[in-house]
Amino acid sequence: DPTRRKTRYINSVHEIGHAIVMAYLTGELPINIVSVSSGNGGFCTSYISNKENEISCKEDIDNDVMISLAGYESERLIFGPDNKKCLLGSGSDLERAWETFSDAVYKLGYFSPMLYSNYSTSNTPDGIPPGIDSLSKGAVCNTVVRSKGEVDLNLSPYDLESLLLRRYRELNERTAAILSEERKLIVKASLYLGEEGSMRSDK
């Protein structure tokens, strides 16, 4: 079916984008990449088993966000930012990227070393604080060591939402830059994936 084959090549560009950014950032390869599945979309297995049950650090959060953004950014790079062929299925990737990052900022203290908020949080039924909301102002505690070895703590006010948006934009730009460097690989691997329908890590 020619129409389905077109979709398969678009899916391939998307999924190869995930795979390339995953390999670039983590040194790990996806176990399998599929351009067509029973759900009409494709998938790239970007799960890293040796990270299971580990607490995330900032680098893990950044990597997760960039890998999630990579499918959409790969399509934009190959087909152009306004191309109507870009997949609507990218929405779930973009939602996942935003939720991962905003949760890290508002609930996990991404902008540490120390976060103070003037927003009063209440405990949820499971006893876990819900974090702070997007309208909250806060302050970061900066440690300053003076010449005599005395330690001084300076509180600097900031707007969490502004920091979040700026850092999210930086991650998106870095994702696009990685893919731009690997454009030839995206094209070559996508053509193979589009023909074969799937690709294992050894290939």
Side-chain angles (χ1 to χ4, degrees), residues 65-80:
V65 169
M66 288 188 282
I67 292 167
S68 293
L69 294 172
Y72 178 65
E73 287 301 325
S74 184
E75 291 179 53
R76 283 167 53 86
L77 176 67
I78 299 302
F79 301 119

Side-chain angles (χ1 to χ4, degrees), residues 3 5 30 39 53 55 68-69 79 91 94 99 111 163 173 177 193:
T3 305
R5 281 172 61 83
N53 298 324
I55 297 173
S68 293
L69 294 172
F79 301 119
L94 302 180
E99 285 182 357
F111 291 113
L163 276 181
E173 289 169 357
L193 184 58

Side-chain angles (χ1 to χ4, degrees), residues 119-182:
Y119 176 76
S120 178
T121 62
S122 58
N123 280 351
T124 54
D126 58 10
I128 300 172
I132 49 187
D133 70 5
S134 62
L135 300 177
S136 302
K137 305 294 180 183
V140 68
C141 182
N142 298 310
T143 304
V144 179
V145 180
R146 302 193 180 282
S147 57
K148 295 180 181 179
E150 298 173 3
V151 175
D152 186 20
L153 299 179
N154 289 339
L155 288 180
S156 307
Y158 63 87
D159 178 339
L160 267 178
E161 188 172 22
S162 295
L163 276 181
L164 182 154
L165 292 172
R166 184 174 68 193
R167 181 61 180 153
Y168 190 80
R169 198 161 34 243
E170 289 171 355
L171 294 173
N172 200 110
E173 289 169 357
R174 185 172 176 217
T175 305
I178 291 168
L179 292 166
S180 183
E181 287 179 24
E182 302 294 344

Side-chain angles (χ1 to χ4, degrees), residues 48-64 100 104 107-110 112:
I48 301 175
S49 59
N50 61 14
K51 278 286 188 184
E52 189 174 7
N53 298 324
E54 285 190 13
I55 297 173
S56 295
C57 63
K58 284 185 180 182
E59 182 180 49
D60 295 328
I61 298 296
D62 289 352
N63 289 349
D64 284 350
T100 297
K107 297 181 180 180
L108 305 178
Y110 180 92
S112 343

